[in-house]
Amino acid sequence: MNTSALFDIPQQEAANPLSDDTIPQSLVHEKALISALLFNNEIYTEISKVIRPEHFYYPVHRIIFEKIVQLIQQYRLASPTTLWPYVQNDIEVAESGGREYFKELIAVNIAPSKAQAYAGEIRELAVRRGIINVGNDLTAQAIDQQVDNPTTDIINDAEGKLYQLRNFGREESDFQDFSKHLIATIERAKIATENEDEISGLSTGLTDLDRHLGGLQPSDLIIIAGRPGMGKTALATNMAYSVARNFRDPSQAGKSAPLGGRVAIFSLEMSGEQLASRILAEVSEVPATRIRKNQIGREEFEKYAAASMKLVKLPLYIDDTAGLTIADISLRCHRLHRKVGGLGLLVVDYIQLIQGLNRKENRTLEIAEITRGLKKIAKDLNIPVIGVSQLSRSIESRDDKRPQMSDLRDSGSIEQDADLVMFVYREEYYLKRKEPPQEEEKEYATWQARMSRHSNRADIIIDKNRHGPVGTIKTTFNGRLTKFGNLAESSHLAGEHEISTGDPYFPSSSPMM
């Protein structure tokens, strides 16, 4: 989308009641800022972080500002004398008064110290014009009743433009002194020393996974992927419950309290009630299927009710609205973050059900836009974001069903943007579908032996870890309760990363990705 078009309000249309007096704009600010920049090019370093040519309301000012920027970026002097040859033949400059207007423009001046404030005001007015423009366009589309112009497309288009406005209007980040980041790192290390659970991030509820990752880390985009039936949603839900359960008010948190936080879940596939029943089943240990089949007894009901009382104040928020765009998710997540006083974790289930802002584009490009949006949320709010993802059907045609990175649907952007990619794999799921006839005693005995080894077991395969080693974590899996758990025996990294000496969770030679 052409971003400058977001700020252009048609001024000649009869249906538009706005004039220069009512449209958000400031001739004085624009002239003063350009004049100041022409006499002191050094202020461009600061104002470039908050303003661009398209933020200017008057076309002549856009053109002059663009030429100034071009000269400065070429390491040339942009002054009234050096600039005039490049703008004297421009139609907008000529129609505005030519040389006389240019003289009038450079006669205005402000102190360099005020330049950034003026730039911020010009940008603020531009964003306001953008909001008006979106509103005008929304009204026009709503009036124009066409079969190929459904209301859902109108709303999605408006939300996409507002999302762009929201991000385009922000001050851009710049280089920061290393000491600032160093202090933040020391603070995290301090938290780690005071935490008896030996992890610096949010606890997943799985001991071996926590030790391997150090917990869920701020600003990380974490992908949990798997084929249907593997338990990827269950794993994400288990983690969300663990983080919410461990939440402590900062004023009440004890030294040894596990790290937790408030959790937001966007459940695009299951209803909020279905998601709640999963968590309730996990806590009460009463399978949700028994309730659906009217097979629950008095004792189980009491366990169910007691568990619900424990969960009623859980800082967990569920949005089960279908068909959300990444703009919707971002706006709602930021709003909740402000409302509750800070989120600790975001879960999106699942990525492929998020609508693109422009559904006419290639789906791969849409997924790229979505994963970038999720990563941006993680960085903006400084929280881990878990995105659940489907795997392609091609995995079913292989003899070895263990997933790999290329099995991710639209995998390019997901693999690139993710800090951590975890696959959920359960050999038991496939073995059940290969049960031989009992008459074939040898084959059946071999099958039973394999089932015994893999029954109620799950592998969490860490195939990408930007901050540490990859490998496989062995866990238990209770299908009736959709619950992952720690193995009773001492577990370890499996496969090619298994080691026999030293720290089994942070081997010094483990590959980094």
Side-chain angles (χ1 to χ4, degrees):
M1 183 185 296
N2 180 8
T3 52
S4 64
L6 288 171
F7 308 113
D8 292 332
I9 299 178
Q11 300 179 46
Q12 307 300 325
E13 296 181 6
N16 179 25
L18 299 175
S19 65
D20 283 352
D21 294 331
T22 54
I23 291 176
Q25 54 84 22
S26 175
L27 178 65
V28 172
H29 281 82
E30 292 188 10
K31 291 172 72 173
L33 183 65
I34 289 175
S35 178
L37 184 57
L38 281 171
F39 286 99
N40 187 348
N41 289 179
E42 291 182 4
I43 66 176
Y44 176 71
T45 302
E46 289 301 316
I47 68 173
S48 65
K49 292 183 284 187
V50 297
I51 195 169
R52 301 180 189 178
E54 49 265 53
H55 284 128
F56 286 86
Y57 174 69
Y58 294 92
V60 63
H61 296 158
R62 287 187 185 179
I63 291 165
I64 292 174
F65 186 79
E66 283 178 345
K67 298 299 183 183
I68 294 173
V69 171
Q70 287 175 7
L71 286 172
I72 292 174
Q73 290 180 342
Q74 293 172 12
Y75 303 100
R76 298 163 65 187
L77 176 66
S79 68
T81 304
T82 60
L83 179 67
W84 175 246
Y86 296 103
V87 300
Q88 62 181 339
N89 296 323
D90 189 273
I91 295 175
E92 292 291 349
V93 175
E95 291 181 349
S96 297
R99 183 182 291 274
E100 292 304 314
Y101 184 78
F102 193 69
K103 290 180 179 179
E104 178 187 326
L105 182 67
I106 61 178
V108 184
N109 204 352
I110 60 170
S113 60
K114 295 182 179 180
Q116 190 167 16
Y118 273 48
E121 182 63 21
I122 292 170
R123 184 196 65 187
E124 176 70 16
L125 294 169
V127 175
R128 287 182 179 275
R129 293 196 302 273
I131 295 170
I132 293 171
N133 197 38
V134 173
N136 289 340
D137 189 47
L138 189 61
T139 301
Q141 289 190 64
I143 293 172
D144 184 20
Q145 299 183 52
Q146 301 291 333
V147 174
D148 60 350
N149 191 32
T151 54
T152 52
D153 284 356
I154 296 173
I155 293 171
N156 286 338
D157 180 59
E159 288 176 341
K161 289 177 179 176
L162 288 173
Y163 178 68
Q164 285 192 322
L165 274 175
R166 182 178 185 275
N167 291 301
F168 191 71
R170 286 182 170 179
E171 179 175 339
E172 294 183 0
S173 60
D174 200 352
F175 286 107
Q176 295 176 341
D177 194 283
F178 178 67
S179 62
K180 178 180 178 181
H181 300 288
L182 193 61
I183 291 171
T185 303
I186 293 297
E187 285 297 319
R188 288 187 60 193
K190 181 181 178 183
I191 293 173
T193 62
E194 295 174 349
N195 182 14
E196 295 180 359
D197 288 324
E198 300 179 356
I199 62 171
S200 60
L202 301 176
S203 174
T204 65
L206 298 172
T207 304
D208 290 337
L209 187 60
D210 279 345
R211 289 175 179 170
H212 185 69
L213 303 176
L216 304 177
Q217 301 296 325
S219 80
D220 274 1
L221 174 57
I222 301 157
I223 301 299
I224 297 178
R227 287 292 295 155
M230 289 294 107
K232 57 187 180 297
T233 297
L235 180 59
T237 303
N238 287 183
M239 289 182 179
Y241 167 67
S242 174
V243 171
R245 179 192 61 195
N246 290 331
F247 173 72
R248 302 289 187 275
D249 186 277
S251 63
Q252 301 174 359
K255 180 178 178 180
S256 62
L259 294 175
R262 303 178 184 93
V263 180
I265 300 179
F266 287 94
S267 182
L268 307 181
E269 183 179 35
M270 293 192 300
S271 69
E273 184 179 346
Q274 289 174 316
L275 203 59
S277 69
R278 282 197 170 197
I279 296 175
L280 198 51
E282 177 186 348
V283 177
S284 67
E285 298 188 344
V286 177
T289 54
R290 293 184 63 81
I291 297 176
R292 288 198 297 269
K293 296 178 180 179
N294 292 326
Q295 296 176 342
I296 187 170
R298 170 62 62 179
E299 183 178 346
E300 289 178 317
F301 173 76
E302 289 177 355
K303 290 174 64 177
Y304 210 68
S308 68
M309 294 301 293
K310 294 180 181 178
L311 299 177
V312 71
K313 293 185 179 180
L314 202 68
L316 198 154
Y317 308 89
I318 299 173
D319 188 331
D320 61 0
T321 309
L324 293 178
T325 65
I326 187 60
D328 296 325
I329 291 172
S330 177
L331 291 171
R332 295 183 186 200
C333 196
H334 279 81
R335 186 167 61 227
L336 180 63
H337 182 75
R338 292 190 299 270
K339 179 181 178 181
V340 302
L343 289 174
L345 174 69
L346 169 64
V347 177
V348 179
D349 184 22
Y350 56 87
I351 289 174
Q352 283 78 14
L353 287 180
I354 301 175
Q355 296 292 330
L357 293 177
N358 186 350
R359 288 183 292 173
K360 296 179 182 178
E361 290 185 2
N362 182 283
R363 184 57 178 165
T364 301
L365 296 178
E366 288 183 347
I367 293 295
E369 174 187 64
I370 289 163
T371 56
R372 283 196 302 269
L374 292 176
K375 178 61 180 175
K376 186 172 184 354
I377 294 171
K379 291 183 69 177
D380 287 348
L381 301 185
N382 195 33
I383 61 173
V385 172
I386 295 177
V388 179
S389 178
Q390 288 277 25
L391 293 179
S392 66
R393 291 189 179 91
S394 61
I395 196 171
E396 304 297 338
S397 62
R398 298 200 306 260
D399 291 334
D400 183 3
K401 301 293 192 297
R402 295 178 71 85
Q404 52 196 27
M405 203 71 77
S406 60
D407 294 321
L408 280 167
R409 279 188 178 177
D410 311 297
S411 62
S413 63
I414 297 177
E415 180 180 351
Q416 175 180 316
D417 294 327
D419 298 282
L420 184 68
V421 177
M422 295 188 288
F423 297 115
V424 184
Y425 176 72
R426 295 193 298 114
E427 182 71 18
E428 177 188 21
Y429 177 88
Y430 292 105
L431 283 175
K432 283 182 177 179
R433 285 152 180 76
K434 294 181 179 180
E435 181 178 358
Q438 294 189 23
E439 292 77 16
E440 299 176 7
E441 296 181 3
K442 185 176 180 180
E443 290 78 3
Y444 190 77
T446 301
W447 175 84
Q448 274 191 317
R450 292 186 64 192
M451 277 294 294
S452 178
R453 288 198 306 272
H454 297 290
S455 181
N456 298 322
R457 295 287 188 271
D459 290 347
I460 299 176
I461 304 169
I462 302 171
D463 206 3
K464 177 183 179 180
N465 185 2
R466 216 185 285 275
H467 313 300
V470 297
T472 300
I473 304 298
K474 301 288 187 180
T475 71
T476 63
F477 179 74
N478 187 325
R480 294 169 65 247
L481 302 178
T482 60
K483 179 179 180 179
F484 286 79
N486 301 301
L487 283 174
E489 66 270 19
S490 177
S491 54
H492 55 271
L493 284 176
E496 60 179 290
H497 305 295
E498 179 179 346
I499 58 175
S500 56
T501 61
D503 188 340
Y505 299 103
F506 298 96
S508 58
S509 60
S510 295
M512 303 280 287
M513 295 190 71

